Amino acid sequence: MSAGFSTFTIALLLQSAATPLPAPVKPAPIAPAKLSAVAHPELWPTATARPSRDPKVEARIDAIMKRMSVADKIGQLIQVDIASITPDDLRTYKLGSILNGGNAGPGGNDLAPPVEWLKLADEYYDASMARSDGRPAIPVIWGTDAVHGNNNIPGATLFPHNIGLGAARDRDLMREIGHVTAIETAAAGIDWTFAPTLAVVRDDRWGRTYESYSEEPTVQADYAGALIDGIQGKVGTKEFLAPDHVIATTKHFLGDGGTGGRDQGDALIPETTLRDIHLGGYPAAIEAGTQSVMASFSSWNGAKMHGNKSLLTGVLKDRLHFDGFVVGDWNGHGQVDGCSNESCAAAINAGLDMFMYSGSGWKTLYDNTLKQAQSGEIPAARLDDAVRRILRVKIRAGTFDRGRPSSRNLAGKMTLIGAADHRAIARRAVAESMVLLKNEGGLLPLKPSANILVAGGGADNIPQQAGGWSLTWQGGGTTNANFPNAETIWSGISTAVKDAGGTATLSADGSFAKKPDAAIVVFGEQPYAEFKGDRPNLEYSAEDKSDLELLRKLKAAGVPVVAVFLSGRPLWVNAELNASDAFVAAFLPGSEGGGVADVLFRKKDGSVANDFRGKLSFSWPKRPDQYVLNRSDPGYDPLFAFGYGLSYAKPGTVPKLDETRPAGMAASSNGTIFGKGRVPEGWSLTLVEQDQSKVRLLGVNATTATKRLTASAVDRRRQEDARSLVWTGGAADARVEASGPLDLTRESNGELSIVVDVRVDRAGSAPVGLGMVSNDGKAVTVPITKTLAAGKPGDWQQVIVPLQCFAKRGIDMAHVTAPFVIATDGKLGLSISDVKIDSAPVPMTKCGD
């Protein structure tokens, strides 16, 4: 341990998981001054990178690099998404790495079985090793976001997301989870996981809050070493990067949790806060031997992390002595000033060692980077340092010596994916991570021999309990059938009750014939990931009150109510708490829903089976506008404080809570432009006749002045949840206008799309376009005529257009005033029911027909 470690890091590394909660960390005070984006490394702690460098490894690197051309070296600096590159490409372009993005899989199928992943890994490996020119064959490595298990592959064990694991306060459990994740990743032939995330989230509006273990850096510091040990194996033992382990990534460096609740945002904080709060677990991770660090999408005081030399080189490499490699994040280099996705010498010169690239222009990135190295714009010493770091990790990980992915020790042993002992660890993690917020009258634990009603949309819903980064990036578009080894919360409850001789009934809407002894209502957030998950406040049920109505209905019927709340962050649920007798924050438990029942029910003999252990790792708000709520903040006033958690051994009471919603608070759209018959609060659905008239729908029906376009309510799933649009001829459009300009640059950079559910009621007589309008008056449409015509008349279909299509056509994505326009100058009958900005499986090059 280095003497340069900060005091709070030393304290956490010495204490056990069972010790009392540490004092909150407060950044050192500084004098008011303009916030700088240049770090002072000498003010930061130091660390001792492990393992220490092996002279034999360094000599081997020297021998390889002597035989490498400049072009070979450039190849090592580039990682490309498998959706953008084929194995054959690697026969010509000797790139260092590939990755599968959140929606990428073998053959374009992100639900491909494990055997297909392994087969494709062999194909990429074979192509990378095919050389006949006498220069060294360097194996490609495959990176994946295995962030709560090998979550891209059907059947894999899915652990609770980090926010739940942070509540468990169990370092040994973290080590086991890391190891299981590594085993199931290696079994599919993949070398490297982009985990763990050590973000210290300080604003819970952020859509990646669930990827954080805590608002307090002490939790990250306590967990980091154990997680790295689990994923990579413990440094100094034969387990380190053995075949049942994979390369770990510590991310996102640095300050991603301090960006004001906005993904790819700007952390406007002094250097002391960046150091004392957001450095968190990085020193411990480096001492545990993390072999890669991912640069953050975000900025610090206006400067993008991908281009911040004072942090990537000065702090991370020089001060903390990190000697692995720094990888970028999904075209993040393209956001550095003066850069594009296809050209960014500035990022390499700042200390980035490997670009992460998605898109068709990776060959242009290769060519430009090669020219920059040949001209000296990228100095030869910097190029060699980056290549040396990458080769060092590849040698340490055994990729030069273990042959094809399918020939490695665990590869192809598909029974390891979702193995019973792995799922048992995940089930224990579920039980340990849940936090009991309320238990009036000692309702819990329930008698398993009772008559139990199970209600709510989340009860029998694996995608919802797993959350984002579960088979798909945003976690949507899947069903229970896509998770073959998983168990729903309902299934776990049903098994526990039936085994004890009780009765369990599933009724999503809470209806029952015989009054139950108790009802368990499972509800909460729908899956999301970054971009889509960002929200303006922490109000859970801004518009849709169906969950609250269900709780109140059961209470009114005299049924004792247990609420099991699924969420990726603390939310304002005062009304739902008031309507429940017991309330459990289950966060996002993953594939093992049975872990919920393990804690909710007594044993058959009436004794307590498992008590609640979870303690809040994030403070819980008493108002929806308390999205910055950390115990080190001035005026700290939570509903439930950091570290709160009731148990059967230590009960408590919760008084009736204030349900008053602050006046004037904006509602969250959550990416929805039009849904359930409504637009977001303050927005409008507008009909426009070109150069003639503009009519806003104040109700559900409207007609333009010359009757070119009429809107009326129609039913799809429920009453008046869709709109019929009828054009009679002449240029007109229907559009959704926001209450103010929208900044969709992050969503465009993140390769999200506009997704529209439409039904053709009458074929069009002229071209139809889907478009956007920006604040400068620019209006752009892309053609969707053929797409509409390809659908069956009268049936609902989806039209998907990537946001990048509008950006490329000149829309100012930072100031979008109308995010949805559908236009024609002919006759057309069309109905719309859902318009949203979402992740969708469509090529980024496909812009309309």
Side-chain angles (χ1 to χ4, degrees):
M1 182 179 294
S2 168
F5 265 57
S6 63
T7 302
F8 76 84
T9 303
I10 294 173
L12 254 292
L13 293 176
L14 291 176
Q15 66 176 294
S16 72
T19 53
L21 293 173
V25 175
K26 297 183 179 181
I30 62 165
K34 182 179 179 180
L35 295 175
S36 170
V38 178
H40 300 80
E42 69 276 10
L43 302 179
W44 291 62
T46 63
T48 301
R50 300 181 70 207
S52 57
R53 292 187 186 176
D54 183 341
K56 292 181 180 178
V57 171
E58 300 306 308
R60 187 174 181 183
I61 295 171
D62 290 339
I64 294 171
M65 291 184 65
K66 284 179 181 178
R67 298 169 54 211
M68 293 176 72
S69 66
V70 175
D72 288 338
K73 292 176 181 179
I74 295 304
Q76 291 302 301
L77 270 58
I78 298 175
Q79 177 187 64
V80 179
D81 180 23
I82 62 172
S84 306
I85 191 171
T86 67
D88 278 348
D89 288 324
L90 290 186
R91 296 184 181 278
T92 302
Y93 293 86
K94 299 304 182 182
L95 304 189
S97 177
I98 55 171
L99 80 149
N100 58 285
N103 285 328
N109 178 14
D110 54 1
L111 299 178
V115 65
E116 294 298 322
W117 294 77
L118 181 59
K119 179 182 176 183
L120 186 59
D122 272 350
E123 292 174 5
Y124 280 116
Y125 175 89
D126 291 344
S128 73
M129 298 297 284
R131 297 212 76 150
S132 58
D133 56 8
R135 295 201 300 273
I138 301 174
V140 69
I141 52 174
W142 185 333
T144 188
D145 282 282
V147 296
H148 66 134
N150 191 4
N151 45 261
N152 293 286
I153 293 183
T157 306
L158 300 187
F159 296 95
H161 271 294
N162 290 357
I163 188 172
L165 297 179
R169 303 292 204 280
D170 187 338
R171 188 190 306 126
D172 293 335
L173 175 63
M174 297 307 106
R175 188 176 293 106
E176 292 182 72
I177 288 172
H179 192 196
V180 168
T181 300
I183 289 170
E184 297 198 12
T185 302
I190 297 174
D191 310 276
W192 173 19
T193 173
F194 303 138
T197 299
L198 297 182
V200 182
V201 176
R202 308 290 280 183
D203 186 323
D204 300 340
R205 293 175 297 178
W206 193 30
R208 302 189 80 151
T209 297
Y210 65 79
E211 294 187 50
S212 174
Y213 296 104
S214 178
E215 70 190 36
E216 282 285 332
T218 49
V219 178
Q220 277 81 344
D222 191 34
Y223 274 9
L227 285 156
I228 299 298
D229 283 351
I231 294 169
Q232 294 189 162
K234 190 172 182 61
V235 173
T237 74
K238 63 180 181 180
E239 291 298 314
F240 180 66
L241 289 174
D244 59 336
H245 294 279
V246 296
I247 301 164
T249 304
T250 308
K251 67 183 187 183
H252 306 85
F253 194 84
L254 187 66
D256 49 341
T259 55
R262 287 181 60 79
D263 204 71
Q264 298 186 23
D266 194 357
L268 301 173
I269 54 178
E271 184 176 359
T272 51
T273 302
L274 187 68
R275 178 195 67 197
D276 296 346
I277 297 294
H278 296 282
L279 187 63
Y282 281 91
I286 290 169
E287 295 219 337
T290 186
Q291 291 298 287
S292 66
V293 168
M294 185 179 291
S296 179
F297 257 132
S298 60
S299 302
W300 175 46
N301 296 332
K304 283 290 179 181
M305 285 289 170
H306 277 65
N308 195 315
K309 186 174 183 178
S310 70
L311 287 167
L312 295 183
T313 298
V315 171
L316 179 61
K317 294 180 176 180
D318 294 344
R319 184 68 174 172
L320 293 170
H321 303 121
F322 172 66
D323 73 349
F325 65 86
V326 178
V327 64
D329 192 357
W330 202 259
N331 295 337
H333 58 275
Q335 298 181 31
V336 174
D337 285 348
C339 290
S340 68
N341 290 352
E342 288 72 41
S343 179
C344 194
I348 298 297
N349 289 339
L352 192 75
D353 300 310
M354 183 183 287
F355 295 115
M356 181 188 289
Y357 185 91
S358 172
S360 60
W362 62 266
K363 293 178 183 177
T364 304
L365 174 64
Y366 177 95
D367 291 340
N368 286 335
T369 309
L370 178 59
K371 292 175 184 176
Q372 290 156 357
Q374 291 170 333
S375 71
E377 185 178 355
I378 297 175
R382 171 77 273 264
L383 174 61
D384 284 352
D385 174 60
V387 174
R388 175 173 291 275
R389 288 170 175 273
I390 294 165
L391 295 180
R392 180 181 295 127
V393 173
K394 289 185 176 184
I395 292 171
R396 285 173 174 172
T399 51
F400 278 89
D401 307 315
R402 292 177 186 156
R404 306 175 83 215
S406 62
S407 69
R408 299 170 191 168
N409 286 16
L410 297 187
K413 296 181 180 179
M414 300 310 177
T415 55
L416 292 173
I417 296 177
D421 57 336
H422 296 173
R423 294 181 59 202
I425 294 170
R427 183 165 179 153
R428 175 160 60 91
V430 173
E432 290 191 22
S433 65
M434 296 189 299
V435 180
L436 181 61
L437 299 182
K438 179 179 179 180
N439 191 23
E440 299 303 299
L443 174 58
L444 294 174
L446 298 169
K447 295 179 180 179
S449 58
N451 175 20
I452 303 297
L453 175 70
V454 181
D460 193 33
N461 191 328
I462 294 170
Q464 187 173 358
Q465 73 187 44
W469 288 107
S470 299
L471 298 186
T472 63
W473 172 33
Q474 295 284 336
T478 57
T479 67
N480 288 356
N482 298 126
F483 299 84
N485 294 326
E487 181 178 33
T488 68
I489 294 171
W490 149 249
S491 177
I493 293 170
S494 176
T495 299
V497 172
K498 290 179 180 178
D499 286 351
T503 302
T505 304
L506 177 65
S507 173
D509 64 1
S511 59
F512 55 84
K514 179 183 177 182
K515 183 179 177 181
D517 296 317
I520 301 172
V521 182
V522 187
F523 65 101
E525 292 187 290
Q526 295 299 316
Y528 58 81
E530 59 262 44
F531 312 120
K532 183 182 175 184
D534 292 357
R535 57 190 303 154
N537 59 67
L538 300 185
E539 183 175 12
Y540 169 61
S541 54
E543 295 182 356
D544 187 350
K545 303 290 185 181
S546 58
D547 296 324
L548 179 58
E549 292 166 358
L550 173 57
L551 295 170
R552 287 174 171 170
K553 180 180 74 171
L554 290 166
K555 282 276 285 183
V559 178
V561 175
V562 178
V564 175
F565 187 55
L566 305 174
S567 76
R569 59 191 133 205
L571 289 171
W572 186 59
V573 287
N574 284 17
E576 288 80 3
L577 278 157
N578 286 338
S580 307
D581 297 289
F583 196 101
V584 177
F587 302 106
L588 299 169
S591 62
E592 305 312 306
V596 175
D598 291 344
V599 185
L600 295 187
F601 289 95
R602 297 180 180 272
K603 293 181 180 179
K604 291 182 182 181
D605 63 9
S607 62
V608 173
N610 297 284
D611 204 347
F612 280 89
R613 291 186 44 173
K615 305 297 180 184
L616 290 178
S617 59
F618 283 84
S619 305
W620 206 276
K622 63 171 55 174
R623 300 190 316 274
D625 54 357
Q626 286 182 300
Y627 35 79
V628 178
L629 185 64
N630 308 293
R631 65 178 179 148
S632 60
D633 295 338
Y636 180 60
D637 184 29
L639 176 62
F640 302 119
F642 175 90
Y644 174 92
L646 302 177
S647 67
Y648 301 141
K650 294 183 179 180
T653 60
V654 177
K656 184 174 175 62
L657 303 173
D658 184 5
E659 300 181 15
T660 305
R661 183 180 187 272
M665 188 179 66
S668 173
S669 70
N670 289 326
T672 298
I673 296 172
F674 176 82
K676 298 181 180 178
R678 299 187 297 269
V679 294
E681 185 177 321
W683 296 24
S684 62
L685 178 57
T686 305
L687 308 184
V688 178
E689 288 183 345
Q690 189 171 328
D691 301 324
Q692 294 291 328
S693 70
K694 185 174 182 179
V695 179
R696 291 186 176 183
L697 274 74
L698 299 178
V700 294
N701 304 313
T703 302
T704 57
T706 63
K707 299 183 179 181
R708 291 183 191 173
L709 178 56
T710 298
S712 58
V714 292
D715 301 342
R716 184 186 181 188
R717 304 182 187 94
R718 63 180 71 178
Q719 185 176 0
E720 297 186 349
D721 68 339
R723 294 291 177 270
S724 168
L725 303 171
V726 177
W727 285 262
T728 59
D733 68 69
R735 62 181 64 181
V736 174
E737 296 180 314
S739 55
L742 303 175
D743 184 353
L744 299 179
T745 52
R746 300 170 305 132
E747 289 80 354
S748 178
N749 292 337
E751 301 188 357
L752 296 184
S753 300
I754 184 166
V755 182
V756 187
D757 280 17
V758 300
R759 183 185 68 194
V760 177
D761 302 317
R762 176 182 176 181
S765 62
V768 184
L770 181 67
M772 285 187 174
V773 180
S774 50
N775 200 39
D776 57 5
K778 179 83 172 180
V780 164
T781 60
V782 298
I784 60 170
T785 311
K786 294 179 181 178
T787 302
L788 293 176
K792 184 177 180 181
D795 285 355
W796 290 94
Q797 66 181 104
Q798 281 194 333
V799 176
I800 302 170
V801 177
L803 295 181
Q804 290 183 6
C805 297
F806 303 108
K808 291 174 180 177
R809 284 163 169 75
I811 288 292
D812 178 1
M813 299 304 290
H815 300 90
V816 176
T817 54
F820 167 72
V821 179
I822 193 159
T824 185
D825 57 7
K827 296 180 179 180
L828 175 67
L830 201 67
S831 294
I832 61 170
S833 75
D834 297 285
V835 183
K836 56 189 175 181
I837 293 173
D838 207 346
S839 170
V842 61
M844 289 298 108
T845 55
K846 181 173 174 56
C847 294
D849 295 336

